[in-house]
Amino acid sequence: MAPRKQREIFDATLRLVAERGYDGLTVEGVAERSGVNKTTIYRWWPSKAALLGAALVESDVLGFTVHDTGSLRGDLVALVEGVRRLLTEPPGSDIAVAALAAAVRHPELDGRRFFADRFARERTVFERAARRGELPGSADPLLIMDLLAGAVWMRAVLRGMKVGDGFAAEAVALVLDGVHRPGR
């Protein structure tokens, strides 16, 4: 399939799930919105769950860049800022919340694939930090990302709180430096 057409199919899938939820997402609706025949979609993705799972991982709408700022702290702030924007700025926020909420209720979506893909990309931050001597071997990169990204999810999505521009730096400081330090 041509990359441009695949992108249109994924974009239609994600926008429809944001508008109608997973239950309202249909292959017919995606076909109509993307201008392809539904048999073309079924040829590549056997179900709407497979289609949405692929769109979550491969679409540019939910994409992000892993920056190399030269330090673990800077890289983590950039990552958390990317998660903050994804979860607070449309269209990404509407899509991410609707699609990933559906993944919780519908195991056939395999939301783990989305998070595994994201962590595979984020892992480079920790590999660079280890090479620079900024990260002890005992550090758990997955736990660090869960704490940081989870904080954004809790604040922005579950609590409905505003997550301001300084949030990323504050969250990273708490994770890297701890809550209590002598002299504070």
Side-chain angles (χ1 to χ4, degrees):
M1 173 173 297
R4 187 176 67 67
K5 188 49 70 178
Q6 183 174 327
R7 206 170 34 253
E8 290 171 6
I9 291 169
F10 288 159
D11 287 349
T13 301
L14 295 174
R15 291 186 193 287
L16 279 172
V17 81
E19 292 169 17
R20 301 180 186 167
Y22 182 70
D23 294 334
L25 175 68
T26 63
V27 171
E28 292 78 10
V30 172
E32 181 181 321
R33 195 169 277 197
S34 62
V36 301
N37 192 307
K38 71 179 182 178
T39 57
T40 301
I41 294 173
Y42 280 120
R43 187 176 312 125
W44 291 90
W45 303 281
S47 66
K48 76 176 183 179
L51 175 59
L52 180 55
L56 284 171
V57 171
E58 298 178 36
S59 173
D60 294 337
V61 176
L62 299 180
F64 69 100
T65 303
V66 176
H67 298 280
D68 185 354
T69 66
S71 73
L72 174 61
R73 185 175 303 271
D75 291 354
L76 289 175
V77 168
L79 278 174
V80 174
E81 182 57 27
V83 173
R84 183 192 73 80
R85 280 192 309 275
L86 175 67
L87 296 177
T88 61
E89 297 175 7
S93 58
D94 299 330
I95 293 167
V97 171
L100 295 172
V104 172
R105 288 188 16 246
H106 300 280
E108 69 273 15
L109 286 175
D110 194 14
R112 292 180 307 252
R113 181 175 169 221
F114 172 80
F115 290 108
D117 174 76
R118 291 305 185 259
F119 185 66
R121 298 177 195 195
E122 296 159 350
R123 184 178 295 281
T124 61
V125 165
F126 299 98
E127 291 167 351
R128 287 191 306 248
R131 283 192 302 271
R132 290 189 301 253
E134 295 178 286
L135 195 65
S138 62
D140 181 347
L142 185 57
L143 177 58
I144 293 168
M145 285 311 305
D146 287 351
L147 291 168
L148 293 171
V152 181
W153 273 92
M154 282 300 297
R155 289 278 176 104
V157 178
L158 300 174
R159 296 186 193 273
M161 296 172 69
K162 182 173 174 23
V163 182
D165 292 336
F167 181 82
E170 184 179 353
V172 169
L174 282 171
V175 167
L176 293 183
D177 302 334
V179 175
H180 177 73
R181 290 180 53 164
R184 272 193 164 166

